[in-house]
Amino acid sequence: MSSEKSEETTEKKSWQIRKKHIIIAIIALIVFYIGYKFYPVKGTDVIRKISKNKKKVCGSAKGENQMYWKKWLNDPNKVEIGDVFRPCPSSNQEVICDREILGKIALVVDQETERLNVTYRAKTELEYDITKAGIHLKVTIDGLSAVDKQLEMCKMSNLTHISCPVRKGLLKLHDSFALPKLLMKGSYSAEARLTNQHGDDIACLNVQFDI
Ligand SMILES: *[C@@H]1O[C@H](CO)[C@@H](O)[C@H](O)[C@H]1NC(C)=O
Ligand SMILES: *[C@@H]1O[C@H](CO)[C@@H](O)[C@H](O)[C@H]1NC(C)=O
């Protein structure tokens, strides 16, 4: 009778110990995962790694447009990660190589802060004033959707530094944004479609890089 009872309590105890071990193991796994995924990236290392695995560029640029970013890209602290182009693909999966490149998106190491910046340069001839512009932005990390948002460019001038209306004629844009110090390791991709007040495409952009 008493031995049965003690057997029960030892079983209970051993289950409790096991439960504790399982919880500790799960916590260790989470800590390990976070430590593995989030780490303070060294800008120069990221630039070197991406430069090594550079992908083929799809599309072509008008000669004079190319001059706008060719020299700018020729910098050991900078690496190209995407294009601004036209026309936009009709579906998400489609990749059109017969497209005009309007600009380049790059990662650059800020020498002062040693942080990574996303920077871009684009140039185009606008045939009409832009009074309203929509941005459909999609970001995936390791193939999982992180952002899928419809934004209004004209209401984001604090961030984009582009003020509306954007007058027709030659349009040259360039800017630089600092990335957070702590970045998650992974495969990043982003695409955005810019549409005007009539809902027609202005341009598209895509970005892809692994860190
Ligand atoms: C944008 O800038 C204006 C001033 O130029 C400021 O009043 C406003 O709070 C800013 N908005 C954001 C979201 O930072
Ligand atoms: C990085 O971005 C910040 C603004 O976020 C800017 O002040 C700095 O000049 C940029 N540096 C480079 C090298 O683009």
Side-chain angles (χ1 to χ4, degrees), residues 121-210:
R121 250 177 187 230
K123 185 178 164 191
T124 189
E125 190 79 31
L126 274 186
E127 286 127 31
Y128 47 79
D129 290 355
I130 295 172
T131 55
K132 202 173 159 213
I135 305 172
H136 190 182
L137 176 69
K138 285 189 202 167
V139 179
T140 65
I141 304 171
D142 287 337
L144 299 172
S145 174
V147 178
D148 189 344
K149 249 188 170 163
Q150 184 66 42
L151 306 163
E152 277 192 49
M153 188 187 81
C154 294
K155 289 186 180 162
M156 296 166 59
S157 54
N158 282 15
L159 183 69
T160 60
H161 305 133
I162 302 169
S163 49
C164 296
V166 184
R167 295 293 175 204
K168 75 172 181 186
L170 183 65
L171 180 66
K172 281 183 179 177
L173 296 170
H174 54 90
D175 213 338
S176 205
F177 311 93
L179 286 178
K181 231 180 197 155
L182 226 54
L183 289 175
M184 199 171 95
K185 252 190 206 175
S187 180
Y188 288 76
S189 76
E191 51 186 82
R193 179 186 290 253
L194 248 83
T195 48
N196 67 12
Q197 56 271 26
H198 308 299
D200 299 327
D201 292 337
I202 301 167
C204 270
L205 63 89
N206 63 10
V207 164
Q208 209 285 318
F209 63 95
D210 298 343

Side-chain angles (χ1 to χ4, degrees), residues 1-9:
M1 200 56 163
S2 75
S3 89
E4 226 174 74
K5 212 174 184 183
S6 78
E7 223 170 74
E8 221 174 80
T9 49

Side-chain angles (χ1 to χ4, degrees), residues 10-52:
T10 40
E11 205 171 282
K12 220 181 191 176
K13 243 188 212 158
S14 83
W15 165 237
Q16 251 158 15
I17 291 168
R18 231 182 297 153
K19 210 161 76 179
K20 216 194 250 165
H21 284 172
I22 291 170
I23 291 168
I24 291 169
I26 290 171
I27 292 170
L29 209 70
I30 292 169
V31 170
F32 176 77
Y33 183 76
I34 292 172
Y36 171 73
K37 290 296 274 186
F38 287 94
Y39 75 128
V41 292
K42 215 170 151 224
T44 43
D45 291 347
V46 173
I47 299 288
R48 206 173 309 131
K49 189 179 161 193
I50 298 172
S51 302
K52 240 193 261 169

